[in-house]
Amino acid sequence: MHPHPHPTLPPQDIPPGVQEVILPSGERALAYSTGPTQPPPTAPVPPVAQPIPAWAKATALLVPTVGGGIAIAAVGLSAAAPGLVAVSHVLWSTVAALAAGGAAAAAVISRVRARITAAQREMQRPHITQHITATGLFSRANGTINHR
């Protein structure tokens, strides 16, 4: 051992950032810590009751109302189910009638167009021709227009 033994310090007198370590030889020594220092342990703080937020109270009050509304809607739909089935049949029949009417209208329109096109082919359109002559580079041009 050393000829001059070091006195040991009580734990409360050891400055922050310094800790007591035991060397491999078994000797105790004070050393500076290179890592973050740990604060002294404190007594655990008991949890404090916090008030319930206003939005949580409002939501809790609305839940039974919304649930009741959904239940009433379900009862109403179950009572109206036969009527809803009948309405859906009427709607599908209407869609089918509109589709058939559209197909018939397309057929009629195509026939009418064909007749109009045939009638226009029978009528001759006027054929217009022009004949223009000029005798020199800067001379006056004369022409005739023929409608046939």
Side-chain angles (χ1 to χ4, degrees), residues 76-148:
L77 284 175
S78 67
L84 292 175
V85 170
V87 167
S88 71
H89 288 303
V90 168
L91 287 175
W92 279 115
S93 301
T94 304
V95 167
L98 288 173
V108 169
I109 289 172
S110 66
R111 284 186 183 176
V112 169
R113 269 194 191 161
R115 285 186 185 172
I116 290 172
T117 304
Q120 285 179 348
R121 285 185 193 151
E122 290 177 10
M123 294 175 29
Q124 286 192 353
R125 295 184 184 156
H127 189 70
I128 302 172
T129 58
Q130 287 183 325
H131 184 69
I132 301 172
T133 58
T135 56
L137 183 61
F138 295 105
S139 63
R140 180 177 218 151
N142 293 320
T144 58
I145 298 175
N146 297 320
H147 293 269
R148 292 185 207 164

Side-chain angles (χ1 to χ4, degrees), residues 5-115:
H6 295 289
T8 59
L9 291 173
Q12 66 269 12
D13 290 342
I14 297 176
V18 177
Q19 60 186 10
E20 185 179 15
V21 295
I22 299 175
L23 300 175
S25 64
E27 184 181 1
R28 295 176 180 245
L30 295 177
Y32 284 103
S33 174
T34 58
T37 60
Q38 294 180 353
T42 58
V45 179
V48 179
Q50 296 182 357
I52 298 172
W55 65 266
K57 289 180 184 178
T59 304
L61 291 174
L62 285 175
V63 167
T65 305
V66 171
I70 291 172
I72 290 172
V75 170
L77 284 175
S78 67
L84 292 175
V85 170
V87 167
S88 71
H89 288 303
V90 168
L91 287 175
W92 279 115
S93 301
T94 304
V95 167
L98 288 173
V108 169
I109 289 172
S110 66
R111 284 186 183 176
V112 169
R113 269 194 191 161
R115 285 186 185 172

Side-chain angles (χ1 to χ4, degrees), residues 1-7 27:
M1 292 266 180
H2 290 271
H4 302 288
H6 295 289
E27 184 181 1

